[in-house]
Amino acid sequence: MPTLPRLPLPRWRFAAAMLRALVPSDCPLCAARSRGGLLCAACEESVCWAARTPASLGLPWRCGRCALPLPEHDTACPDCAERATAFERTIIAFDYAPPADALILQLKNGLRYGRADLLGNLLAEAVRHHVLPLAPATVLVPIPASTASLRRRGFNPAAEIARALGRDLELPVRRDLLRRDREQAKQSSLGRLGRRQAAQNLYASSPRARGLHIGLVDDVMTTGSTMHAAAAALRAAGAASVVALAAARTPGQFPAAPPRRPRAEWRG
Ligand SMILES: [Zn+2]
Ligand SMILES: [Zn+2]
């Protein structure tokens, strides 16, 4: 497994990271000795390696829009080839699969709040490793949680990850630019089409999003329907661009060889 290059951090961020790294802790995945609540070096490399490494090195090809692993070299998955998403590309920290999915479950179900810092850190590293950097004035916007999940957990995991990501990348987090317009059925019981229909018109954006470059943050991207609906609302409000930033991407949603159709551009 090749050693990944690390991009330089600003000097004060580097000093803060060094200080945090001095605090001993256990690796959340393998319980090996680690520091600062982060993954041990071996786990970080094995979990994040595939998402950070360009496909040109022979690793899983990914859709240029939604980061779905593809079985062969192609620029877009069938979903994105059929309908351009309202977000222009996606950056993920890792695929939502064992053992790394435990980090998400520890945050969302186990209410281990410290995992948001870890996930924000891994996502920040993914942004730094990505071949296309974020626009310098990017504003981070978390996907708003439903009232039901806010009531159940008492917090919005996407907002906590956005907060940690913003602190790491020194980017502002804006929670006033996007809101849910209505509640919906629990998405985990829905298929791809059901998720797409359920997410339509789910979000509304403030006119203050006009002209902004947005980094739209979520914990897990499953089909991309939520990201698309939220990005569509932001674009409709005049956002200059939207990049999807997800801690984890579900890799198993690849449909079986659908026919290729001409791509319809997103409008509105
Ligand atoms: Zn470990
Ligand atoms: Zn795609």
Side-chain angles (χ1 to χ4, degrees), residues 17 82 122 163 179 228:
E82 177 189 317
L122 294 177
R163 180 186 50 74
R179 68 172 192 277
H228 172 73

Side-chain angles (χ1 to χ4, degrees), residues 185-216:
K186 202 166 164 48
Q187 281 208 20
S188 52
S189 60
L190 301 173
R192 285 170 52 246
L193 193 58
R195 280 173 180 255
R196 188 185 291 183
Q197 288 168 345
Q200 272 179 354
N201 304 317
L202 189 58
Y203 303 98
S205 175
S206 159
R208 291 188 291 272
R210 177 170 296 280
L212 296 179
H213 295 284
I214 307 283
L216 193 53

Side-chain angles (χ1 to χ4, degrees), residues 26-38:
D26 291 340
C27 170
L29 289 182
C30 72
R33 180 167 291 188
S34 183
R35 291 182 184 276
L38 301 176

Side-chain angles (χ1 to χ4, degrees), residues 97-223:
D101 56 352
L103 301 174
I104 301 283
L105 297 173
Q106 287 165 5
L107 172 65
K108 295 179 73 170
N109 299 347
L111 307 185
R112 303 283 295 271
Y113 305 113
R115 295 294 180 264
D117 288 340
L118 167 58
L119 293 168
N121 170 269
L122 294 177
L123 192 47
E125 285 296 311
V127 169
R128 291 193 189 96
H129 280 85
H130 203 270
V131 288
L132 295 172
L134 293 179
T138 292
V139 170
L140 301 180
V141 174
I143 296 281
S146 68
T147 306
S149 70
L150 270 178
R151 224 177 259 145
R152 191 170 63 248
R153 296 194 183 96
F155 71 105
N156 175 4
E160 295 308 307
I161 293 169
R163 180 186 50 74
L165 179 63
R167 194 175 56 216
D168 208 315
L169 295 178
E170 298 184 286
L171 295 176
V173 179
R174 295 278 299 271
R175 297 178 68 172
D176 60 319
L177 298 182
L178 189 66
R179 68 172 192 277
R180 287 176 76 104
D181 250 8
R182 57 182 169 82
E183 297 303 310
Q184 62 165 163
K186 202 166 164 48
Q187 281 208 20
S188 52
S189 60
L190 301 173
R192 285 170 52 246
L193 193 58
R195 280 173 180 255
R196 188 185 291 183
Q197 288 168 345
Q200 272 179 354
N201 304 317
L202 189 58
Y203 303 98
S205 175
S206 159
R208 291 188 291 272
R210 177 170 296 280
L212 296 179
H213 295 284
I214 307 283
L216 193 53
V217 182
D218 207 356
D219 43 67
V220 180
M221 185 168 164
T222 303
T223 63

Side-chain angles (χ1 to χ4, degrees), residues 63-68 70 76-81 85 249:
C63 172
R65 284 260 178 182
C66 73
L68 186 76
L70 300 175
C77 71
D79 272 356
C80 293
T85 55
R249 173 71 164 110

Side-chain angles (χ1 to χ4, degrees), residues 62-68 75-77 80 83-91 221 235 244 263 265:
R62 288 182 189 271
C63 172
R65 284 260 178 182
C66 73
L68 186 76
T75 53
C77 71
C80 293
R83 182 191 62 167
T85 55
F87 53 87
E88 59 186 41
R89 57 198 169 89
T90 300
I91 301 175
M221 185 168 164
R235 293 293 307 279
R263 173 169 156 162
E265 285 300 318

